[in-house]
Amino acid sequence: MPPKKHSTTKTKSLSKTATSTPPAPAPPPNWPALKPLIPASDLSLHTLLPSQIITISQFFTSTLCKTYVNFLKELPLTTTPGKPKKGDALRFNDRFQVFDEGFANRLWLETGLRELVCGSEGEGDEGEGEGDGMTKEERRELWGGEVVGLNPSIRIYRYTKGQFFDCHYDESNVLTLATKPTPTPAKTTWTLLLYLTSPTTGCIGGETVFYPDEMTFGGKKNVVEKEVVVGLETGMCLLHKHGNDCMLHEGREVLEGEKWVIRSDLCVKRGKSRFAD
């Protein structure tokens, strides 16, 4: 295995919010309504690799994806520099980043994501969620703690023909969520990537590829011998573990069309939990 390279997706300012005053943020965009969506009861978690890679198909409908692509095209995207900093992976794409707690909460609450990740309200310790059957303890072990929401650092990525993201690892970040009545110390544990385009919209290439590694899940060491290729699917949400347990991965070169992605992260409470330490 090559030495771990830190992903340029790390939001360094988040770990400093408790000790320094960040610059005045740009006003968040007037995001389109999250409609239409399919019923949350029709969504499910699909495991590609246990404790590492999970997808949710039709998280956004194709109509909503089209609405968002048209909206995102009007944002002031910035092309990443061709020469990365020392230790960073080579990334060539256009991006926009904004700190928006309101939009992060909407993605978490209005889409059915909270129920998928945390289980339905009233679900017992035996786990009655359709399709997963996980107990609360198993959910905490899977996600790395008690999930409390999404990272308010929203990132928009556009990859056009010839653009890509070289092999890298995504880092975990610490932050404080502005929950009420008191703020919640948190850390990120899983990357969330929402794909808005795919071959059906003219985007060819751009697959996310995870490479063989030795991982620990279920309390045992397991060797992942083959690469896992996740192709683009319009409206699909890809969740993958990051931080110390992140697998080496890349975003392959886009061959035709445009690849649009909305990026955030799952956040768990920081505290005494053995999963969140």
Side-chain angles (χ1 to χ4, degrees):
M1 283 297 299
K4 288 197 174 187
K5 292 187 289 185
H6 296 314
S7 164
T8 52
T9 57
K10 179 180 179 183
T11 308
K12 298 181 179 179
S13 62
L14 290 178
S15 61
K16 301 178 182 178
T17 53
T19 57
S20 62
T21 302
N30 185 22
W31 306 99
L34 297 178
K35 297 178 181 180
L37 293 169
I38 69 169
S41 58
D42 291 343
L43 298 174
S44 61
L45 301 176
H46 177 61
T47 300
L48 294 184
L49 189 64
S51 300
Q52 287 293 330
I53 308 171
I54 292 173
T55 60
I56 308 169
S57 292
Q58 295 184 296
F59 185 72
F60 268 24
T61 61
S62 58
T63 299
L64 185 55
C65 286
K66 184 176 181 180
T67 297
Y68 262 78
V69 168
N70 289 334
F71 173 77
L72 298 177
K73 286 180 178 179
E74 303 303 317
L75 295 179
L77 302 173
T78 302
T79 302
T80 54
K83 185 177 181 180
K85 296 179 181 179
K86 184 178 180 181
D88 285 346
L90 178 60
R91 174 175 60 183
F92 185 32
N93 68 352
D94 304 305
R95 70 196 309 263
F96 173 82
Q97 183 170 349
V98 66
F99 189 87
D100 192 341
E101 294 171 331
F103 186 62
N105 285 334
R106 287 173 58 194
L107 284 175
W108 177 240
L109 299 174
E110 296 179 18
T111 60
L113 182 60
R114 179 176 64 173
E115 288 75 18
L116 279 173
V117 169
C118 300
S120 303
E121 289 189 15
E123 180 178 299
D125 287 338
E126 295 305 315
E128 298 174 359
E130 182 177 351
D132 57 54
M134 287 187 288
T135 66
K136 291 181 179 180
E137 187 71 6
E138 288 170 338
R139 291 182 188 277
R140 286 192 288 267
E141 183 172 6
L142 172 64
W143 305 120
E146 180 185 350
V147 184
V148 289
L150 293 181
N151 188 348
S153 178
I154 304 297
R155 285 136 287 175
I156 306 300
Y157 303 145
R158 177 183 64 188
Y159 295 84
T160 56
K161 184 176 180 179
Q163 294 186 328
F164 61 92
F165 195 167
D166 206 355
C167 291
H168 64 283
Y169 296 87
D170 292 353
E171 292 188 339
S172 174
N173 292 279
V174 296
L175 66 159
T176 299
L177 297 179
T179 52
K180 295 180 179 180
T182 58
T184 301
K187 65 176 288 188
T188 65
T189 56
W190 285 64
T191 294
L192 180 150
L193 299 172
L194 172 54
Y195 299 122
L196 303 179
T197 53
S198 69
T200 61
T201 65
C203 179
I204 307 300
E207 302 90 347
T208 301
V209 184
F210 297 85
Y211 288 99
D213 206 343
E214 183 179 276
M215 312 303 302
T216 300
F217 50 85
K220 299 179 181 179
K221 285 189 176 181
N222 296 268
V223 177
V224 180
E225 297 180 345
K226 296 182 179 179
E227 64 185 35
V228 178
V229 180
V230 183
L232 300 185
E233 179 185 315
T234 303
M236 182 180 73
C237 180
L238 168 64
L239 295 161
H240 70 85
K241 204 171 199 176
H242 66 215
N244 292 335
D245 294 325
C246 186
M247 293 180 66
L248 183 69
H249 61 285
E250 69 170 330
R252 283 181 174 168
E253 179 181 344
V254 170
L255 304 177
E256 295 290 343
E258 293 184 341
K259 172 184 174 182
W260 283 91
V261 185
I262 297 177
R263 160 79 195 270
S264 185
D265 314 277
L266 293 186
C267 295
V268 303
K269 279 185 179 179
R270 276 186 288 135
K272 296 181 181 180
S273 168
R274 64 188 176 94
F275 303 120
D277 289 340

